[in-house]
Structures are given as C-alpha cells and as structure tokens.
Amino acid sequence: MPAAYVAPGDRAVPDESAVDKRLTWANWPLYIDTDDDHPDRRPTLRAFERRTGISVDYVEEINDNDEFFGKISPALMNHQSTGRDLIVISDWMCARYVRLGWVQEMDRAHQPNVAEHLDPLLRSPAFDKGRRFTVPWQSGITGIAYNHRKLGREIRAVSDLWAKDLKGRVTLLSGLDEAYALLMQGNGVDITRWTADDFHRMCEQVERQVHRGQIRRFTGNDYTKDLVSGDVLACQAYSGDVIQLQADNPDIRFVVPEEGAELWSDSLMIPDRARHKANAERLIDYYYEPEVAARLATWVTYVCPVPAARDVLADAKDKDTAALADNPLVFPDSGMRGRLAVARDIRAAERTEFAQRWNGIVGL
C-alpha cells in the first residue's frame, strides 16, 4: 500500500447531516446551469435547496486536476477534513484518490436514482468496479474535430490525421491522460486493458509524426482557437467543446473514429472525513433524476450520464432544447455507443516511466 493510504476504518467521522442541513461542493467553473439574468444563480441547485432545506456552498475552485490534488492532499494524507463534502474530479485522477483510500464508499440505499439511471457504459470502470466510490457528473468523448469545408473531405479514422494534406495542420492534446487512449484505439487496442507495449508503440508513432512535421503543436484546451482560425484543420478534441464551436461554425465536425474513441467522465466523490455525507449523497441522487439531468444537459452540453434525460428533452416545447435529444454528442446513438470505451487508468507503478516518455515527445 502507498504510504499515504487511509484504511477504511479511518475515512469517516460522525455524520452531521441530520442536524446540520448544509454541504460544501467544489466544482469546475461553468459546469452547472445558471440563470440568464443572474449568472450567480443556479436554478437546479436552488430547486434542490428549496426541496430539501439543505443549503449548498458551491465553490468553483477546481481548474486543474493536479493543482487541486496538491491543494487538498496534505489534509487527506494526514487524516484531516478537507472542508469539502463533495468534489468533482476527472476519472483518471479519481483513480488515484480511490487507490489511496481518500474517498468514502457511497450508500446506494440513499441513491435510488443513481442505481436506476446511471448509463451502463459508465457503471464499472477499471479503477472503481461497480462505481462504489465515484458517480459521474458529466461525461465526454475524446475524438477528432476537423474543418470539413477547408479540408474538403471526411475524416473517419485516427490514421487519417497522418495524411499528406494535413502536414503541419494537426494538433494533439499535450496531457498524457487526455491523449493516449484515442491514439491507441487507432492501433486497434482494447483500451480497457492496454499494455506497456501498446503504450510504447503509440509513442513511437507520435514521435515519427513529430519528426515529419505532421503535428503543428501539442495543446491544452486552446486547440479550439487553432481550429476556429483555420491554422489547424484536424485535431484531437473533446465532444463538449465542439458542440459549442458548431453553434458559430457548422463546418466544424466531430468524429468518433471507426476504431473507437474514449468515453471519460468527471465524477463526484465524497472525501474522507466529510461532515455531511448523507446530504452529499442526497444531492448526487437529485442530479440523477431524469428531469434534473435534462435541465443540466441543456446548459453544459457534454455527454449526459443519464440516458433517460433524452426523453425529457425530446418532449420539450422549445425547438433548440428538443433538438439536443437527437444530438449524438449529448446522447450517443447505438452505433456510436458501440465504439466508445472507458480506458483503464495509468497505474501508479507505470506513471513515472510513461509520463517521462510522453513529456519528452510533447516537450514538457
């Protein structure tokens, strides 16, 4: 066990939920519905507070998985409260919290909506079999975005990124955890159980493309600027970003390659020593009501982890809202679902070697 591991018996403190009707929730910016006229108001959250009498201190303080890990890890490794009852972290980083024993197992008896409505594709990732410690907040797909009009043809496969007419006009994601799965899928790898050999083969391919001048640069979320400006014609991209770009430029398309794409999540977790665990479990379950999930989906436009929300949106009177029900980037259709997979995470014992190799290619 890692030195910072916390055994199950040391994770909980007496729960004050019954007498103290509140909780503190740390999330990413722009990741919840807001009121058009009052951006500081969050309609779904206000409805929860009115219904339950639980007041929620909602803090938009997570901008980077590693940075937030550094912020709260001293408390967790020293068996202290983080001051937060609920946090939202990307699944590859959730894996680290789960392995370290830094999050509490949820009581599904308090969460009938999660039990009933969580998307089957997301129910049992390698790092948290049966989703006992984590519940997806929103999901997304890492695939390929491209400018169809400027390129003048379709992209169907990862290997299409290496075509001659795209030389110097391609970007890949710079983060190891964000980039590797899709590139491995291009080689026909089953990303639910990839190996070190699969990883190094993928790195060799990317190195060759860097040396050829095929790859313009490696990016964070700023790839969208290059795509919009036309400096880049095709890139590794997130489905949620592309929906927003398409509103201004319908020539931008998103593709789940024939070989498949990675389905990922940002997930809700209850950290050790949270003082309002039952309140947090109740809030999580509230967001798994199809009507609430549907309202959230119209705002954040990522892949909705509650497929039953689709029928709610399809019945909406507003035309734009109803159209979201048919958007495969929010509710993947059966053909697309068959090509999506949740990657196994990079284990602690592999991380140093793999990160060194990848960061050497990317130039970090």
Side-chain angles (χ1 to χ4, degrees):
M1 285 294 173
Y5 178 76
V6 177
D10 291 335
R11 295 175 192 173
V13 292
D15 192 3
E16 299 171 16
S17 293
V19 293
D20 192 19
K21 302 293 245 179
R22 62 192 173 99
L23 71 103
T24 300
W25 177 9
N27 204 349
W28 300 70
L30 308 174
Y31 217 13
I32 198 168
D33 53 311
T34 54
D35 188 299
D36 283 335
D37 301 321
H38 303 277
D40 56 333
R41 288 189 193 158
R42 304 172 180 99
T44 56
L45 205 49
R46 283 175 78 115
F48 171 79
E49 290 176 319
R50 281 197 301 271
R51 184 199 295 186
T52 62
I54 296 168
S55 69
V56 181
D57 181 16
Y58 184 82
V59 191
E60 294 187 331
E61 63 170 331
I62 305 176
N63 293 293
D64 177 273
N65 287 292
D66 287 302
E67 181 192 318
F68 190 70
F69 182 89
K71 190 174 182 176
I72 66 172
S73 58
L76 289 163
M77 70 172 64
N78 290 303
H79 300 218
Q80 295 164 354
S81 167
T82 64
R84 300 156 184 89
D85 301 293
L86 199 55
I87 59 177
V88 178
I89 302 290
S90 299
D91 268 358
W92 63 265
M93 179 61 91
C94 289
R96 192 181 298 179
Y97 286 81
V98 171
R99 271 198 298 267
L100 288 167
W102 287 3
V103 289
Q104 301 184 62
E105 184 169 352
M106 295 185 206
D107 182 355
R108 285 287 181 264
H110 292 163
Q111 298 179 314
N113 291 317
V114 175
E116 182 177 354
H117 294 302
L118 173 57
D119 191 327
L121 283 177
L122 299 168
R123 278 181 185 259
S124 207
F127 73 91
D128 183 13
K129 292 291 185 192
R131 286 275 183 195
R132 296 181 303 134
F133 298 95
T134 62
V135 173
W137 169 241
Q138 294 294 291
S139 278
I141 302 165
T142 301
I144 297 170
Y146 67 104
N147 188 316
H148 183 261
R149 188 175 58 80
K150 287 192 171 167
L151 183 57
R153 62 182 174 82
E154 287 192 351
I155 283 183
R156 296 170 185 265
V158 174
S159 58
D160 291 346
L161 294 174
W162 318 137
K164 284 181 180 163
D165 61 347
L166 281 172
K167 186 170 183 179
R169 312 291 291 278
V170 173
T171 59
L172 299 180
L173 295 168
S174 58
L176 167 59
D177 296 277
E178 289 76 21
Y180 74 87
L182 180 77
L183 298 169
M184 280 188 200
Q185 283 168 305
N187 295 330
V189 171
D190 175 357
I191 58 168
T192 65
R193 46 185 189 155
W194 55 271
T195 65
D197 286 346
D198 295 327
F199 178 82
H200 289 299
R201 189 161 92 250
M202 177 272 293
C203 285
E204 283 161 16
Q205 285 176 324
V206 175
E207 277 168 338
R208 279 200 300 277
Q209 300 305 333
V210 169
H211 293 147
R212 280 183 58 211
Q214 187 76 8
I215 298 167
R216 182 183 182 86
R217 68 187 186 105
F218 293 87
T219 72
N221 281 31
D222 53 338
Y223 68 83
T224 55
K225 294 185 193 122
D226 291 345
L227 191 60
V228 168
S229 71
D231 290 338
V232 157
L233 296 182
C235 59
Q236 212 171 10
Y238 302 125
S239 54
D241 289 341
V242 174
I243 290 177
Q244 290 162 22
L245 295 179
Q246 286 171 333
D248 297 319
N249 186 347
D251 294 322
I252 291 174
R253 295 191 184 175
F254 183 86
V255 64
V256 169
E258 290 163 349
E259 317 97 331
E262 181 191 12
L263 179 68
W264 49 263
S265 304
D266 294 326
S267 288
L268 297 143
M269 297 189 295
I270 299 171
D272 289 356
R273 305 201 160 239
R275 289 170 40 224
H276 306 94
K277 182 173 185 275
N279 290 346
E281 288 169 338
R282 196 167 173 188
L283 177 68
I284 293 167
D285 201 56
Y286 164 78
Y287 275 100
Y288 269 70
E289 291 179 13
E291 294 76 16
V292 179
R295 281 202 293 278
L296 186 63
T298 61
W299 271 86
V300 296
T301 61
Y302 275 86
V303 175
C304 179
V306 181
R310 183 177 182 272
D311 291 339
V312 177
L313 289 175
D315 291 339
K317 291 183 175 66
D318 178 72
K319 242 189 343 202
D320 291 339
T321 304
L324 268 185
D326 294 320
N327 190 324
L329 302 188
V330 180
F331 297 98
D333 55 36
S334 56
M336 188 183 285
R337 288 173 73 85
R339 300 200 304 280
L340 297 175
V342 178
R344 84 153 174 89
D345 55 296
I346 296 173
R347 301 185 188 108
E350 303 168 314
R351 184 162 289 277
T352 304
E353 176 196 348
F354 291 176
Q356 211 168 4
R357 173 108 202 243
W358 180 255
N359 292 345
I361 299 169
V362 172
L364 290 176

PDB file of all heavy atoms in Angstrom, residues 136-147:
ATOM      1  N   PRO A 136     -20.434   9.592 -11.967  1.00  0.00           N
ATOM      2  CA  PRO A 136     -20.169  10.593 -12.999  1.00  0.00           C
ATOM      3  C   PRO A 136     -21.057  11.836 -12.852  1.00  0.00           C
ATOM      4  O   PRO A 136     -22.270  11.730 -12.650  1.00  0.00           O
ATOM      5  CB  PRO A 136     -20.486   9.852 -14.300  1.00  0.00           C
ATOM      6  CG  PRO A 136     -20.231   8.406 -13.967  1.00  0.00           C
ATOM      7  CD  PRO A 136     -20.698   8.257 -12.548  1.00  0.00           C
ATOM      8  N   TRP A 137     -20.424  12.988 -12.959  1.00  0.00           N
ATOM      9  CA  TRP A 137     -21.156  14.267 -13.002  1.00  0.00           C
ATOM     10  C   TRP A 137     -21.548  14.542 -14.446  1.00  0.00           C
ATOM     11  O   TRP A 137     -22.720  14.684 -14.780  1.00  0.00           O
ATOM     12  CB  TRP A 137     -20.280  15.376 -12.426  1.00  0.00           C
ATOM     13  CG  TRP A 137     -20.789  16.774 -12.632  1.00  0.00           C
ATOM     14  CD1 TRP A 137     -20.168  17.784 -13.319  1.00  0.00           C
ATOM     15  CD2 TRP A 137     -22.018  17.346 -12.125  1.00  0.00           C
ATOM     16  NE1 TRP A 137     -20.927  18.930 -13.294  1.00  0.00           N
ATOM     17  CE2 TRP A 137     -22.065  18.693 -12.572  1.00  0.00           C
ATOM     18  CE3 TRP A 137     -23.080  16.853 -11.376  1.00  0.00           C
ATOM     19  CZ2 TRP A 137     -23.136  19.545 -12.280  1.00  0.00           C
ATOM     20  CZ3 TRP A 137     -24.144  17.703 -11.086  1.00  0.00           C
ATOM     21  CH2 TRP A 137     -24.161  19.035 -11.535  1.00  0.00           C
ATOM     22  N   GLN A 138     -20.545  14.604 -15.328  1.00  0.00           N
ATOM     23  CA  GLN A 138     -20.793  14.706 -16.772  1.00  0.00           C
ATOM     24  C   GLN A 138     -19.743  13.848 -17.467  1.00  0.00           C
ATOM     25  O   GLN A 138     -18.681  13.584 -16.910  1.00  0.00           O
ATOM     26  CB  GLN A 138     -20.653  16.152 -17.256  1.00  0.00           C
ATOM     27  CG  GLN A 138     -21.709  17.097 -16.710  1.00  0.00           C
ATOM     28  CD  GLN A 138     -23.098  16.780 -17.217  1.00  0.00           C
ATOM     29  OE1 GLN A 138     -23.395  16.964 -18.376  1.00  0.00           O
ATOM     30  NE2 GLN A 138     -23.969  16.290 -16.327  1.00  0.00           N
ATOM     31  N   SER A 139     -20.046  13.432 -18.683  1.00  0.00           N
ATOM     32  CA  SER A 139     -19.104  12.647 -19.462  1.00  0.00           C
ATOM     33  C   SER A 139     -18.763  13.383 -20.758  1.00  0.00           C
ATOM     34  O   SER A 139     -19.400  14.377 -21.102  1.00  0.00           O
ATOM     35  CB  SER A 139     -19.690  11.282 -19.796  1.00  0.00           C
ATOM     36  OG  SER A 139     -19.515  10.416 -18.714  1.00  0.00           O
ATOM     37  N   GLY A 140     -17.799  12.845 -21.441  1.00  0.00           N
ATOM     38  CA  GLY A 140     -17.434  13.420 -22.729  1.00  0.00           C
ATOM     39  C   GLY A 140     -16.705  12.378 -23.555  1.00  0.00           C
ATOM     40  O   GLY A 140     -16.380  11.291 -23.069  1.00  0.00           O
ATOM     41  N   ILE A 141     -16.473  12.725 -24.799  1.00  0.00           N
ATOM     42  CA  ILE A 141     -15.774  11.822 -25.716  1.00  0.00           C
ATOM     43  C   ILE A 141     -14.517  12.542 -26.204  1.00  0.00           C
ATOM     44  O   ILE A 141     -14.579  13.719 -26.584  1.00  0.00           O
ATOM     45  CB  ILE A 141     -16.661  11.482 -26.926  1.00  0.00           C
ATOM     46  CG1 ILE A 141     -17.980  10.845 -26.467  1.00  0.00           C
ATOM     47  CG2 ILE A 141     -15.925  10.562 -27.903  1.00  0.00           C
ATOM     48  CD1 ILE A 141     -19.056  10.798 -27.550  1.00  0.00           C
ATOM     49  N   THR A 142     -13.398  11.851 -26.183  1.00  0.00           N
ATOM     50  CA  THR A 142     -12.197  12.368 -26.838  1.00  0.00           C
ATOM     51  C   THR A 142     -12.143  11.739 -28.225  1.00  0.00           C
ATOM     52  O   THR A 142     -11.996  10.520 -28.355  1.00  0.00           O
ATOM     53  CB  THR A 142     -10.926  12.009 -26.048  1.00  0.00           C
ATOM     54  OG1 THR A 142     -11.035  12.556 -24.734  1.00  0.00           O
ATOM     55  CG2 THR A 142      -9.694  12.594 -26.722  1.00  0.00           C
ATOM     56  N   GLY A 143     -12.325  12.574 -29.235  1.00  0.00           N
ATOM     57  CA  GLY A 143     -12.327  12.099 -30.610  1.00  0.00           C
ATOM     58  C   GLY A 143     -11.540  13.064 -31.486  1.00  0.00           C
ATOM     59  O   GLY A 143     -10.547  13.644 -31.055  1.00  0.00           O
ATOM     60  N   ILE A 144     -11.996  13.255 -32.714  1.00  0.00           N
ATOM     61  CA  ILE A 144     -11.302  14.134 -33.669  1.00  0.00           C
ATOM     62  C   ILE A 144     -12.270  15.205 -34.156  1.00  0.00           C
ATOM     63  O   ILE A 144     -13.405  14.898 -34.541  1.00  0.00           O
ATOM     64  CB  ILE A 144     -10.772  13.325 -34.872  1.00  0.00           C
ATOM     65  CG1 ILE A 144      -9.720  12.308 -34.404  1.00  0.00           C
ATOM     66  CG2 ILE A 144     -10.172  14.253 -35.937  1.00  0.00           C
ATOM     67  CD1 ILE A 144      -9.326  11.310 -35.478  1.00  0.00           C
ATOM     68  N   ALA A 145     -11.810  16.449 -34.117  1.00  0.00           N
ATOM     69  CA  ALA A 145     -12.573  17.550 -34.708  1.00  0.00           C
ATOM     70  C   ALA A 145     -11.841  18.000 -35.969  1.00  0.00           C
ATOM     71  O   ALA A 145     -10.611  17.964 -36.031  1.00  0.00           O
ATOM     72  CB  ALA A 145     -12.687  18.706 -33.721  1.00  0.00           C
ATOM     73  N   TYR A 146     -12.612  18.430 -36.966  1.00  0.00           N
ATOM     74  CA  TYR A 146     -11.957  18.913 -38.187  1.00  0.00           C
ATOM     75  C   TYR A 146     -12.866  19.896 -38.904  1.00  0.00           C
ATOM     76  O   TYR A 146     -14.073  19.935 -38.674  1.00  0.00           O
ATOM     77  CB  TYR A 146     -11.562  17.748 -39.100  1.00  0.00           C
ATOM     78  CG  TYR A 146     -12.697  16.976 -39.719  1.00  0.00           C
ATOM     79  CD1 TYR A 146     -13.040  17.145 -41.060  1.00  0.00           C
ATOM     80  CD2 TYR A 146     -13.418  16.034 -38.981  1.00  0.00           C
ATOM     81  CE1 TYR A 146     -14.068  16.426 -41.643  1.00  0.00           C
ATOM     82  CE2 TYR A 146     -14.451  15.300 -39.563  1.00  0.00           C
ATOM     83  CZ  TYR A 146     -14.771  15.498 -40.897  1.00  0.00           C
ATOM     84  OH  TYR A 146     -15.790  14.781 -41.471  1.00  0.00           O
ATOM     85  N   ASN A 147     -12.244  20.702 -39.761  1.00  0.00           N
ATOM     86  CA  ASN A 147     -12.988  21.680 -40.562  1.00  0.00           C
ATOM     87  C   ASN A 147     -13.286  21.039 -41.919  1.00  0.00           C
ATOM     88  O   ASN A 147     -12.409  20.947 -42.781  1.00  0.00           O
ATOM     89  CB  ASN A 147     -12.179  22.963 -40.729  1.00  0.00           C
ATOM     90  CG  ASN A 147     -13.002  24.067 -41.377  1.00  0.00           C
ATOM     91  OD1 ASN A 147     -13.720  23.836 -42.348  1.00  0.00           O
ATOM     92  ND2 ASN A 147     -12.891  25.265 -40.846  1.00  0.00           N
TER      93      ASN A 147
END
